[in-house]
Amino acid sequence: MKLRRVVYTSKATSQFNKRDLLDLLHDSRAYNSLDHISGVLIQKDGYFLQIIEGESDKIIELLGRLVIDKRHSHFNIISDDIVDNHLFSK
Ligand SMILES: Cc1cc2nc3c(=O)[nH]c(=O)nc-3n(C[C@H](O)[C@H](O)[C@H](O)COP(=O)(O)O)c2cc1C
């Protein structure tokens, strides 16, 4: 089955402390594991870079939730590719 891998950057709308980030990671991992989505999230100096990979329909659904999430703005897709394998473990 073909996979979709999307890389995006965004800007945090308010300062994320460790607790905020842990909550976000906790929820994201729970959702992502149900949807067989893998990836990585990097946060630095008020910006995010995230790689998400999984079945195309699931990635589109997640993108739909991400773009309306008020915790970040300046949503910018860097790459969007159909790929053969996961780069990150689930
Ligand atoms: C920087 C950032 C990264 C996120 N990454 C994910 C993610 O990988 N998976 C996910 O399900 N939600 C992620 N979210 C949260 C979603 O935007 C959304 O709040 C969550 O999926 C719950 O959606 P719901 O409120 O419609 O149920 C992320 C949010 C932010 C701000």
Side-chain angles (χ1 to χ4, degrees):
M1 189 194 59
K2 289 288 181 187
L3 294 169
R4 188 165 188 166
R5 181 182 303 127
V6 172
V7 183
Y8 76 85
T9 56
S10 64
K11 187 175 189 299
T13 43
S14 60
Q15 202 169 345
F16 262 67
N17 61 30
K18 201 169 176 184
R19 181 77 245 175
D20 297 328
L21 200 56
L22 285 176
D23 284 347
L24 178 65
L25 283 175
H26 179 269
D27 292 348
S28 297
R29 285 193 178 125
Y31 280 109
N32 291 356
S33 97
L34 284 175
D35 288 340
H36 307 292
I37 291 174
S38 57
V40 64
L41 175 66
I42 296 167
Q43 189 234 26
K44 179 108 173 88
D45 297 336
Y47 287 85
F48 294 108
L49 184 146
Q50 190 174 25
I51 304 174
I52 46 174
E53 51 190 20
E55 195 195 316
S56 188
D57 287 356
K58 296 293 178 192
I59 293 296
I60 290 167
E61 277 174 32
L62 174 54
L63 288 172
R65 303 202 301 273
L66 284 167
V67 293
I68 59 167
D69 194 319
K70 299 257 186 306
R71 289 172 287 184
H72 60 176
S73 63
H74 299 70
F75 194 85
N76 179 37
I77 292 187
I78 294 177
S79 68
D80 182 354
D81 297 302
I82 301 298
V83 296
D84 291 321
N85 302 106
H86 283 265
L87 272 182
F88 302 94
S89 57
K90 283 186 265 181

